[in-house]
Amino acid sequence: AFIQNSQGTADTRYSGRKNINTTLTSNNDYILHNTAKGGGILTLDYSKFNETDQNFRDEDNNWTVAEYNNDNKDNAALDVHWGTEVVYDYWLSQHGRNSFDNRGAELKSYVHFTRNGQEVDNAYWDNNLKAMIYGDGNLRFDALVSLDIIAHELGHAITDNTTKLVYARESGALNEGFSDIWAAAVEYYNNGNVLNENVWIIGESISNRGLRSMKNPSAFRHPTTYKGRNWIDTSENACKTPTSDSAPGGNDFCG
């Protein structure tokens, strides 16, 4: 049972020590559940998906490096919880939007996502679970829980609730593009509206180089103009069958 909302400190994986809102339970410990914002912000352990208790727990609400910077990358949960609080505040303060549905929906996240027991280089919005899913990385990336990625994934939830963009081909690419734009906007907001080079890079925290640049897309072999250099043809002639990246030979739904 829950007793009260509390403020703790968290040594995040990428953003240093941050204040987070947690819940004190009847077990006299704390879980990553913020009940003060909208319908709540809840961060859970995907590796315990089928278990009764999926919570991350701490005894004194001081979530330290010594406790959570471990081989399991448990401090990734601290980035997700703090980052989701930041993203919620951004949308409410800058756009007057209360969660992804504008009705205060709970913001639920699962950390330590695996597929067939393997760590994955992926993070995504699951519209069926109504939750954000974050992997711990594998060969290419560290845990996919940096602030811009959290903003990007929550952006997909907002797109799903505000548009009818089919997640395939060019409309799917627009969906991804909007999420990158919001990722940069959230980073800028979190920087106190101070612009630096990292604002324009997506995923600089999880890899040495980043994943994409909104300032110089061609640096990552991405196009700078519609059908310009580095453009990938997603038409039915070039990509006949949209499939998920998780499928054999997956193509991100020809996006």
Side-chain angles (χ1 to χ4, degrees), residues 38-40 84 87-88 91-92 97-108 125-127 129-132 153-163:
T84 306
V87 176
Y88 174 86
W91 278 98
L92 186 63
R97 188 172 187 84
N98 184 7
S99 191
F100 61 82
D101 64 350
N102 202 26
R103 295 191 295 272
E106 181 181 57
L107 295 175
K108 182 184 294 184
W125 162 250
D126 189 312
N127 201 37
L129 289 176
K130 300 299 181 187
M132 279 75 68
E153 300 311 333
L154 225 167
H156 284 308
I158 290 169
T159 296
D160 281 349
N161 279 267
T162 56
T163 76

Side-chain angles (χ1 to χ4, degrees), residues 28-64:
N28 203 32
D29 61 6
Y30 298 86
I31 60 174
L32 297 176
H33 188 191
N34 179 343
T35 60
K37 296 181 185 295
I41 294 172
L42 180 61
T43 305
L44 299 170
D45 187 346
Y46 189 91
S47 69
K48 300 176 181 177
F49 190 80
N50 294 317
E51 299 179 18
T52 302
D53 183 10
Q54 301 167 7
N55 287 292
F56 294 92
R57 294 180 176 273
D58 188 80
E59 292 183 355
D60 62 2
N61 216 16
N62 186 18
W63 307 66
T64 65

Side-chain angles (χ1 to χ4, degrees), residues 30-200:
Y30 298 86
I31 60 174
L32 297 176
H33 188 191
N34 179 343
T35 60
K37 296 181 185 295
I41 294 172
L42 180 61
T43 305
L44 299 170
D45 187 346
Y46 189 91
S47 69
K48 300 176 181 177
F49 190 80
N50 294 317
E51 299 179 18
T52 302
D53 183 10
Q54 301 167 7
N55 287 292
F56 294 92
R57 294 180 176 273
D58 188 80
E59 292 183 355
D60 62 2
N61 216 16
N62 186 18
W63 307 66
T64 65
V65 168
E67 295 170 293
Y68 296 97
N69 187 17
N70 51 32
D71 290 343
N72 290 333
K73 302 183 181 179
D74 283 334
N75 59 354
L78 307 179
D79 289 78
V80 168
H81 197 68
W82 166 76
T84 306
E85 291 178 333
V86 172
V87 176
Y88 174 86
D89 289 343
Y90 164 80
W91 278 98
L92 186 63
S93 66
Q94 303 302 303
H95 304 292
R97 188 172 187 84
N98 184 7
S99 191
F100 61 82
D101 64 350
N102 202 26
R103 295 191 295 272
E106 181 181 57
L107 295 175
K108 182 184 294 184
S109 301
Y110 285 101
V111 183
H112 298 328
F113 172 65
T114 58
R115 184 180 291 117
N116 299 324
Q118 299 295 315
E119 296 173 345
V120 294
D121 287 329
N122 203 2
Y124 64 94
W125 162 250
D126 189 312
N127 201 37
N128 293 321
L129 289 176
K130 300 299 181 187
M132 279 75 68
I133 309 292
Y134 298 97
D136 287 336
N138 193 350
L139 297 177
R140 296 180 298 166
F141 309 128
D142 198 351
L144 285 88
V145 297
S146 56
L147 179 61
D148 52 0
I149 290 177
I150 294 165
H152 175 107
E153 300 311 333
L154 225 167
H156 284 308
I158 290 169
T159 296
D160 281 349
N161 279 267
T162 56
T163 76
K164 295 183 179 180
L165 286 174
V166 175
Y167 194 79
R169 306 191 191 279
E170 289 191 7
S171 59
L174 284 171
N175 193 327
E176 289 291 343
F178 289 135
S179 278
D180 274 1
I181 290 168
W182 290 323
V186 169
E187 274 201 304
Y188 178 67
Y189 164 81
N190 186 60
N191 288 345
N193 297 339
V194 174
L195 196 61
N196 59 43
E197 291 300 308
N198 284 343
V199 166
W200 303 115

